[in-house]
Amino acid sequence: MQLESMYREIILDHYRNPHHKGLRDGYRAEVHHVNPTCGDEVTLRVHLSDASLGEAAVIEDVSYESQGCSISQASASVLTDLVIGKKVGEALGIQEKFLELMQSKGESAGDEDVLEDAVAFAGVSKFPARVKCALLSWMALKDATAQALAAEGVKNHG
Ligand code: ZN
């Protein structure tokens, strides 16, 4: 129980004081994702150092604008802390771990070494309707990263 209230505090803290929020210029891809079951929306931009490096490119910035419930907004804030400055391949590995945690139906506690504050969402995985809230910005990140790399491919071969 104590752990759950600590996790609730982490989520509320990110919701009240979101990290890296706001859309910034100098980006390679922008996506807009919606979670219609809750009404959450996120516009997310990804900037890569050198997209021609593929998964070895560094995520220089992730900026976003979002509206919706506390879970969706806190999740976007936690995401930026985890992936800015990481290589694309590494960030996608973290995304995969978070996806596994959210699909665990409350069975997994999450790997804190990899997920840091994102383990606070472990309890959310027990509530299928809220899982989509927590995953919204992570799906947007995956989409934006793929688009940023694809755009580079077109440039190189076109
Ligand atoms: Zn929501």
Side-chain angles (χ1 to χ4, degrees):
M1 285 302 108
Q2 212 156 9
L3 190 66
E4 277 189 28
S5 69
M6 196 183 87
Y7 280 174
R8 196 158 41 237
E9 273 310 302
I10 292 174
I11 291 173
L12 282 176
D13 197 46
H14 277 277
Y15 173 58
R16 293 188 189 117
N17 304 296
H19 303 177
H20 309 104
K21 196 173 178 178
L23 291 171
R24 290 178 288 279
D25 287 334
Y27 59 94
R28 281 192 178 258
E30 178 184 282
V31 298
H32 181 71
H33 280 217
V34 176
N35 171 22
T37 52
C38 181
D40 311 316
E41 292 189 34
V42 65
T43 301
L44 182 142
R45 293 175 174 176
V46 166
H47 186 48
L48 303 178
S49 60
D50 181 358
S52 67
L53 295 174
E55 295 214 337
V58 172
I59 297 178
E60 301 246 292
D61 196 19
V62 176
S63 67
Y64 68 97
E65 200 49 72
S66 62
Q67 51 188 357
C69 69
S70 55
I71 290 174
S72 68
Q73 302 219 44
S75 184
S77 171
V78 168
L79 173 152
T80 59
D81 279 352
L82 279 168
V83 305
I84 294 173
K86 297 248 169 51
K87 289 180 178 164
V88 170
E90 225 177 321
L92 292 178
I94 297 169
Q95 198 262 354
E96 200 56 40
K97 289 260 185 199
F98 187 67
L99 186 62
E100 276 171 32
L101 175 63
M102 296 319 298
Q103 291 172 339
S104 74
K105 299 184 170 71
E107 296 298 312
S108 169
D111 183 347
E112 199 172 354
D113 289 338
V114 176
L115 293 174
E116 301 178 19
D117 276 2
V119 296
F121 294 88
V124 175
S125 72
K126 283 182 270 188
F127 307 99
R130 309 316 299 277
V131 166
K132 286 181 185 165
C133 303
L135 284 176
L136 179 68
S137 54
W138 290 85
M139 292 311 182
L141 173 77
K142 195 175 181 185
D143 186 13
T145 310
Q147 286 190 28
L149 295 178
E152 183 64 24
V154 168
K155 205 171 80 189
N156 282 347
H157 304 111

